[in-house]
Amino acid sequence: MFCDLGNASVYYETYGEGFPVVMIHGFTPDHRLMSGCMEPVFENQPGWRRIYLDLPGMGQTKGEEWIQGSDQMLDVVERFIEKMIPVGPYLVAGESYGGYLARAIASRHKERVAGMLFICPLVEAAVSKRVLPLPAVIAQNKEFLSTLTPEQQSRFTPLSVVQDQYNWERFEKEILPGLNAADSVFLRKISERYAFSFEWDKEPVPFEKPVLFLTGRQDHVTGYQDVWSLLEHYPRASFAVLDRAGHNLQTEQSGLFTALVDEWLNRVVENENIQ
């Protein structure tokens, strides 16, 4: 389905009924990254309306000419949420770049955001300012990797800390289609204005709703150390650094991922007194 915003048309998929959860994927993939890891959580969690969108230039959402950087990306997401959820509280879940957008949304709409989930969130827009571990491979099935074509290996292995059949199959299903569908010319333009142009993360008032930060110990894309510096702004946040996990933490530590997200939802239910 598409949500018409006038100067942009945002593709989205929605599942279930109840308390709304907005899912924002990272830079270059599409909504399938989020639905692939989040829908298994909701198999045992009824009462949630899950809304998965494709950001401009990714998936089925066209990258419009007027969108020049992250400022306009945020504008699109804010207006999408306003149209999809005109009243009442909602949750925001963001992966990587989606986490960058999610934090800005919460800072500007704190009265409505009832909780946040961050999966390998982007904290520092500039790569040169990020504190990152060196790339590492923790587990590798060389026999299986030999069955992949050179092109498949080149797409899968650079970000993969666990290189086996399970993680390849999920990568092929949930991440690779979005990478292939992305508008590379449009995204190159956005990457030149990747950081917001306005001050937004110096808010002295803490966000006192349930939050979960999930980071990978071997994530050499966004890292985990920069996230630690945010915790004082989120007094209700759990912070997990998972070993054997890189930037695809949601698949490489799928069991822990599901358990921790389930616990976060339970905290939201308690805090919001959701029946």
Side-chain angles (χ1 to χ4, degrees):
M1 293 180 283
F2 285 89
C3 177
D4 184 5
L5 301 178
N7 59 358
S9 183
V10 177
Y11 179 81
Y12 71 96
E13 295 183 1
T14 182
Y15 303 93
E17 298 292 337
F19 201 100
V21 189
V22 179
M23 315 283 191
I24 311 174
H25 61 82
F27 200 77
T28 309
D30 64 14
H31 74 277
R32 285 169 283 195
L33 183 149
M34 293 299 287
S35 60
C37 65
M38 293 297 291
E39 281 305 294
V41 178
F42 292 104
E43 290 178 0
N44 298 311
Q45 277 272 7
W48 305 94
R49 177 189 175 203
R50 292 93 68 192
I51 304 168
Y52 301 91
L53 74 150
D54 283 348
L55 292 171
M58 291 164 263
Q60 297 187 54
T61 299
K62 181 183 177 183
E64 302 291 347
E65 180 61 31
W66 67 269
I67 303 172
Q68 295 293 312
S70 290
D71 289 7
Q72 293 78 36
M73 282 282 200
L74 178 62
D75 174 70
V76 169
V77 177
E78 285 181 311
R79 289 192 289 129
F80 171 80
I81 293 174
E82 185 65 29
K83 191 158 186 178
M84 295 293 296
I85 316 168
V87 296
Y90 57 87
L91 302 179
V92 183
E95 185 268 345
S96 193
Y97 180 69
Y100 187 62
L101 296 173
R103 286 175 53 224
I105 289 166
S107 73
R108 291 153 68 110
H109 306 278
K110 188 174 296 183
E111 72 286 350
R112 295 194 62 196
V113 178
M116 290 187 288
L117 164 66
F118 298 97
I119 308 165
C120 301
L122 172 70
V123 175
E124 290 288 352
V127 176
S128 61
K129 294 183 179 179
R130 300 176 196 171
V131 181
L132 303 173
L134 293 174
V137 176
I138 299 300
Q140 184 183 69
N141 185 330
K142 293 183 178 180
E143 182 178 356
F144 169 71
L145 287 178
S146 69
T147 68
L148 302 180
T149 67
E151 181 181 359
Q152 289 172 326
Q153 291 187 39
S154 70
R155 304 300 296 276
F156 174 55
T157 59
L159 297 185
S160 299
V161 169
V162 181
Q163 300 175 359
D164 60 12
Q165 184 172 353
Y166 171 81
N167 281 280
W168 160 254
E169 289 176 351
R170 289 196 59 179
F171 176 84
E172 185 181 36
K173 180 181 179 181
E174 301 168 22
I175 300 175
L176 189 56
L179 300 182
N180 290 335
D183 182 340
S184 59
V185 174
F186 173 82
L187 295 182
R188 192 176 304 117
K189 175 183 68 174
I190 301 302
S191 67
E192 295 173 357
R193 295 177 177 84
Y194 206 50
F196 295 127
S197 65
F198 53 90
E199 288 288 338
W200 63 279
D201 61 348
K202 307 300 181 184
E203 177 61 59
V205 179
F207 183 84
E208 297 181 332
K209 304 290 181 65
V211 173
L212 174 61
F213 288 100
L214 294 177
T215 65
R217 183 65 178 81
Q218 290 81 30
D219 183 351
H220 65 278
V221 178
T222 55
Y224 64 91
Q225 294 186 59
D226 293 327
V227 180
W228 182 257
S229 67
L230 302 177
L231 288 189
E232 293 307 312
H233 295 288
Y234 302 93
R236 291 292 314 279
S238 292
F239 174 68
V241 185
L242 303 183
D243 181 40
R244 194 183 175 272
H247 203 56
N248 292 329
L249 171 152
Q250 72 278 4
T251 68
E252 293 173 335
Q253 282 286 11
S254 58
L256 280 173
F257 175 87
T258 299
L260 289 167
V261 175
D262 184 71
E263 188 277 336
W264 167 67
L265 290 171
N266 289 340
R267 285 191 284 132
V268 172
V269 168
E270 178 183 67
N271 197 62
E272 294 294 312
N273 194 27
I274 300 172
Q275 302 298 320

